[in-house]
């Protein structure tokens, strides 16, 4: 089963640490797809420490790896435990903000969605606002030709405008 120790999620999570870029890339895609549903998110988050590996992939030179890692992170941070795990890794938000400069339409969609989800809590807002480039890049993305990216960027900025305590 996908649940518990030894399940499929554990095996996929382990592939994130592979030396093979293709394995890493498609493991991130699989996690992103599994994490689309609440049960899948819980399964991934309880299976192991996937977020540090996904955070590392967000800093990759491989566009598809970044894209799929952003998808996975964006879905995992829908859960409070996922947001906490992402914020424990200082590279996660930094790499997401850096990826706001991507030329890849899908990557931008997933990155803005992930940042929007992280910005729902004070700690997440503070983590994003530590990066001076975040707000100007998000503001520019509100004019994106991709309606989802524009909507996610606007929602992220709205979340960021809430006063962190």
């Amino acid at each position: 089963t996908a649940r518990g120790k030894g399940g499929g999620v554990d095996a996929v999570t382990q592939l994130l640490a592979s030396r093979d870029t293709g394995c890493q890339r498609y493991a991130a895609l699989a996690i992103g797809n599994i994490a689309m549903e609440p049960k899948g998110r819980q399964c991934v988050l309880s299976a192991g420490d996937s977020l540090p590996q996904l955070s590392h992939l967000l800093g990759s030179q491989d566009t598809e790896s970044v894209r799929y890692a952003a998808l996975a992170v964006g879905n995992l941070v829908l859960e409070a435990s996922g947001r906490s795990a992402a914020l424990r890794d200082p590279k996660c938000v930094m790499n997401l903000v850096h990826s706001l400069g991507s030329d890849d339409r899908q990557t931008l969609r997933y990155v803005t969605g992930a940042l929007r989800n992280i910005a729902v809590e004070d700690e997440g807002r503070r983590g994003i606002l530590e990066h001076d480039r975040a707000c100007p890049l998000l503001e520019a993305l509100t004019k994106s030709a991709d309606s989802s990216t524009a909507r996610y960027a606007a929602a992220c900025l709205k979340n960021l405008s809430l006063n962190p305590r």
Side-chain angles (χ1 to χ4, degrees):
T1 82
R3 298 177 191 199
K5 292 290 178 195
V9 170
D10 290 326
V12 173
T13 299
Q14 290 173 7
L15 289 174
L16 290 171
S18 171
R19 292 177 187 243
D20 182 86
T21 301
C23 285
Q24 292 174 338
R25 176 189 309 141
Y26 295 116
L29 175 60
I31 289 171
N33 287 332
I34 292 166
M36 289 180 72
E37 298 293 329
K39 286 182 181 180
R41 288 190 288 276
Q42 290 300 322
C43 203
V44 171
L45 290 166
S46 66
D49 218 9
S50 60
L51 275 159
Q53 292 293 332
L54 291 166
S55 177
H56 176 74
L57 281 180
L58 287 170
S60 172
Q61 297 299 313
D62 180 65
T63 300
E64 287 182 90
S65 293
V66 175
R67 178 188 312 142
Y68 299 145
L71 168 67
V73 169
N75 287 341
L76 291 171
V77 298
L78 286 166
E79 301 292 330
S81 61
R83 287 189 297 277
S84 294
L87 290 167
R88 280 193 301 272
D89 183 346
K91 290 184 178 179
C92 188
V93 171
M94 178 186 75
N95 287 337
L96 284 167
V97 170
H98 176 76
S99 295
L100 288 172
S102 174
D103 293 329
D104 183 69
R105 183 179 62 85
Q106 285 296 122
T107 298
L108 289 173
R109 180 183 292 181
Y110 297 147
V111 167
T112 54
L115 288 170
R116 174 205 58 192
N117 295 343
I118 289 170
V120 299
E121 293 179 1
D122 290 346
E123 185 181 359
R125 288 189 284 276
R126 283 191 294 271
I128 295 167
L129 291 170
E130 286 177 4
H131 302 277
D132 295 336
R133 296 180 57 219
C135 288
L137 289 169
L138 285 163
E139 182 66 36
L141 288 170
T142 64
K143 297 168 182 69
S144 173
D146 179 66
S147 62
S148 294
T149 297
R151 187 173 61 251
Y152 296 160
C156 184
L157 286 167
K158 182 178 180 182
N159 288 344
L160 291 173
S161 71
L162 300 174
N163 192 15
R165 295 175 203 160

